[in-house]
PDB file of all heavy atoms in Angstrom:
ATOM      1  N   SER A 497     -22.374  49.153 -31.651  1.00 95.00           N
ATOM      2  CA  SER A 497     -23.744  49.739 -31.863  1.00 95.00           C
ATOM      3  C   SER A 497     -23.919  50.935 -31.074  1.00 95.00           C
ATOM      4  O   SER A 497     -24.971  51.238 -30.522  1.00 95.00           O
ATOM      5  CB  SER A 497     -24.871  48.665 -31.470  1.00 95.00           C
ATOM      6  OG  SER A 497     -24.617  48.230 -30.109  1.00 95.00           O
ATOM      7  N   ASP A 498     -22.868  51.742 -30.906  1.00 96.00           N
ATOM      8  CA  ASP A 498     -22.955  52.993 -29.947  1.00 96.00           C
ATOM      9  C   ASP A 498     -23.257  54.188 -30.790  1.00 96.00           C
ATOM     10  O   ASP A 498     -23.422  55.241 -30.218  1.00 96.00           O
ATOM     11  CB  ASP A 498     -21.604  53.075 -29.305  1.00 96.00           C
ATOM     12  CG  ASP A 498     -20.376  53.107 -30.256  1.00 96.00           C
ATOM     13  OD1 ASP A 498     -20.650  52.963 -31.439  1.00 96.00           O
ATOM     14  OD2 ASP A 498     -19.237  53.381 -29.817  1.00 96.00           O
ATOM     15  N   GLY A 499     -23.327  54.048 -32.142  1.00 96.00           N
ATOM     16  CA  GLY A 499     -23.669  55.191 -32.985  1.00 96.00           C
ATOM     17  C   GLY A 499     -22.531  56.076 -33.316  1.00 96.00           C
ATOM     18  O   GLY A 499     -22.668  56.914 -34.270  1.00 96.00           O
ATOM     19  N   HIS A 500     -21.366  55.898 -32.741  1.00 96.00           N
ATOM     20  CA  HIS A 500     -20.176  56.686 -33.068  1.00 96.00           C
ATOM     21  C   HIS A 500     -19.017  55.755 -32.790  1.00 96.00           C
ATOM     22  O   HIS A 500     -18.293  55.873 -31.853  1.00 96.00           O
ATOM     23  CB  HIS A 500     -20.091  57.899 -32.107  1.00 96.00           C
ATOM     24  CG  HIS A 500     -19.040  58.875 -32.638  1.00 96.00           C
ATOM     25  ND1 HIS A 500     -17.737  58.804 -32.377  1.00 96.00           N
ATOM     26  CD2 HIS A 500     -19.039  59.982 -33.487  1.00 96.00           C
ATOM     27  CE1 HIS A 500     -16.984  59.758 -32.800  1.00 96.00           C
ATOM     28  NE2 HIS A 500     -17.886  60.515 -33.610  1.00 96.00           N
ATOM     29  N   THR A 501     -18.827  54.954 -33.814  1.00 97.00           N
ATOM     30  CA  THR A 501     -17.714  53.891 -33.664  1.00 97.00           C
ATOM     31  C   THR A 501     -16.499  54.317 -34.322  1.00 97.00           C
ATOM     32  O   THR A 501     -16.503  54.753 -35.409  1.00 97.00           O
ATOM     33  CB  THR A 501     -18.211  52.502 -34.310  1.00 97.00           C
ATOM     34  OG1 THR A 501     -19.450  52.058 -33.624  1.00 97.00           O
ATOM     35  CG2 THR A 501     -17.099  51.440 -34.204  1.00 97.00           C
ATOM     36  N   VAL A 502     -15.339  54.142 -33.637  1.00 96.00           N
ATOM     37  CA  VAL A 502     -14.024  54.494 -34.056  1.00 96.00           C
ATOM     38  C   VAL A 502     -13.139  53.152 -34.060  1.00 96.00           C
ATOM     39  O   VAL A 502     -12.871  52.767 -32.840  1.00 96.00           O
ATOM     40  CB  VAL A 502     -13.351  55.621 -33.349  1.00 96.00           C
ATOM     41  CG1 VAL A 502     -11.976  55.888 -33.979  1.00 96.00           C
ATOM     42  CG2 VAL A 502     -14.188  56.888 -33.399  1.00 96.00           C
ATOM     43  N   PHE A 503     -12.906  52.647 -35.233  1.00 97.00           N
ATOM     44  CA  PHE A 503     -12.248  51.380 -35.303  1.00 97.00           C
ATOM     45  C   PHE A 503     -10.723  51.591 -35.512  1.00 97.00           C
ATOM     46  O   PHE A 503     -10.363  52.332 -36.447  1.00 97.00           O
ATOM     47  CB  PHE A 503     -12.859  50.333 -36.244  1.00 97.00           C
ATOM     48  CG  PHE A 503     -12.241  49.071 -36.289  1.00 97.00           C
ATOM     49  CD1 PHE A 503     -12.625  48.064 -35.505  1.00 97.00           C
ATOM     50  CD2 PHE A 503     -11.104  48.788 -37.213  1.00 97.00           C
ATOM     51  CE1 PHE A 503     -11.918  46.751 -35.558  1.00 97.00           C
ATOM     52  CE2 PHE A 503     -10.573  47.561 -37.341  1.00 97.00           C
ATOM     53  CZ  PHE A 503     -10.963  46.465 -36.447  1.00 97.00           C
ATOM     54  N   SER A 504      -9.776  50.896 -34.750  1.00 96.00           N
ATOM     55  CA  SER A 504      -8.370  51.093 -34.934  1.00 96.00           C
ATOM     56  C   SER A 504      -7.760  49.935 -35.617  1.00 96.00           C
ATOM     57  O   SER A 504      -8.120  48.734 -35.297  1.00 96.00           O
ATOM     58  CB  SER A 504      -7.624  51.290 -33.615  1.00 96.00           C
ATOM     59  OG  SER A 504      -6.260  51.413 -33.799  1.00 96.00           O
ATOM     60  N   PHE A 505      -7.007  50.221 -36.645  1.00 96.00           N
ATOM     61  CA  PHE A 505      -6.261  49.132 -37.409  1.00 96.00           C
ATOM     62  C   PHE A 505      -4.920  48.749 -36.772  1.00 96.00           C
ATOM     63  O   PHE A 505      -3.979  49.596 -36.726  1.00 96.00           O
ATOM     64  CB  PHE A 505      -6.066  49.556 -38.883  1.00 96.00           C
ATOM     65  CG  PHE A 505      -7.368  49.919 -39.593  1.00 96.00           C
ATOM     66  CD1 PHE A 505      -7.694  51.216 -39.994  1.00 96.00           C
ATOM     67  CD2 PHE A 505      -8.236  48.896 -39.852  1.00 96.00           C
ATOM     68  CE1 PHE A 505      -8.778  51.472 -40.594  1.00 96.00           C
ATOM     69  CE2 PHE A 505      -9.445  49.176 -40.548  1.00 96.00           C
ATOM     70  CZ  PHE A 505      -9.715  50.484 -40.946  1.00 96.00           C
ATOM     71  N   ASN A 506      -4.793  47.610 -36.187  1.00 94.00           N
ATOM     72  CA  ASN A 506      -3.661  47.276 -35.488  1.00 94.00           C
ATOM     73  C   ASN A 506      -2.695  46.262 -36.199  1.00 94.00           C
ATOM     74  O   ASN A 506      -1.724  45.801 -35.770  1.00 94.00           O
ATOM     75  CB  ASN A 506      -4.030  46.557 -34.072  1.00 94.00           C
ATOM     76  CG  ASN A 506      -4.860  45.413 -34.235  1.00 94.00           C
ATOM     77  OD1 ASN A 506      -5.200  45.012 -35.399  1.00 94.00           O
ATOM     78  ND2 ASN A 506      -5.458  44.858 -33.226  1.00 94.00           N
ATOM     79  N   HIS A 507      -3.085  45.935 -37.503  1.00 94.00           N
ATOM     80  CA  HIS A 507      -2.323  45.113 -38.349  1.00 94.00           C
ATOM     81  C   HIS A 507      -2.626  45.284 -39.751  1.00 94.00           C
ATOM     82  O   HIS A 507      -3.734  45.890 -40.046  1.00 94.00           O
ATOM     83  CB  HIS A 507      -2.374  43.630 -37.953  1.00 94.00           C
ATOM     84  CG  HIS A 507      -3.743  43.083 -38.212  1.00 94.00           C
ATOM     85  ND1 HIS A 507      -4.258  42.555 -39.368  1.00 94.00           N
ATOM     86  CD2 HIS A 507      -4.804  42.969 -37.260  1.00 94.00           C
ATOM     87  CE1 HIS A 507      -5.504  42.124 -39.149  1.00 94.00           C
ATOM     88  NE2 HIS A 507      -5.864  42.320 -37.961  1.00 94.00           N
ATOM     89  N   SER A 508      -1.811  44.850 -40.611  1.00 95.00           N
ATOM     90  CA  SER A 508      -2.043  45.016 -42.169  1.00 95.00           C
ATOM     91  C   SER A 508      -2.965  43.919 -42.530  1.00 95.00           C
ATOM     92  O   SER A 508      -3.117  42.883 -41.912  1.00 95.00           O
ATOM     93  CB  SER A 508      -0.714  45.035 -42.861  1.00 95.00           C
ATOM     94  OG  SER A 508      -0.039  43.741 -42.689  1.00 95.00           O
ATOM     95  N   GLY A 509      -3.544  44.114 -43.704  1.00 95.00           N
ATOM     96  CA  GLY A 509      -4.492  43.194 -44.341  1.00 95.00           C
ATOM     97  C   GLY A 509      -5.847  43.679 -44.581  1.00 95.00           C
ATOM     98  O   GLY A 509      -6.012  44.902 -44.435  1.00 95.00           O
TER      99      GLY A 509
END
Side-chain angles (χ1 to χ4, degrees):
S497 58
D498 55 358
H500 190 276
T501 301
V502 178
F503 183 86
S504 178
F505 301 110
N506 56 6
H507 62 85
S508 61

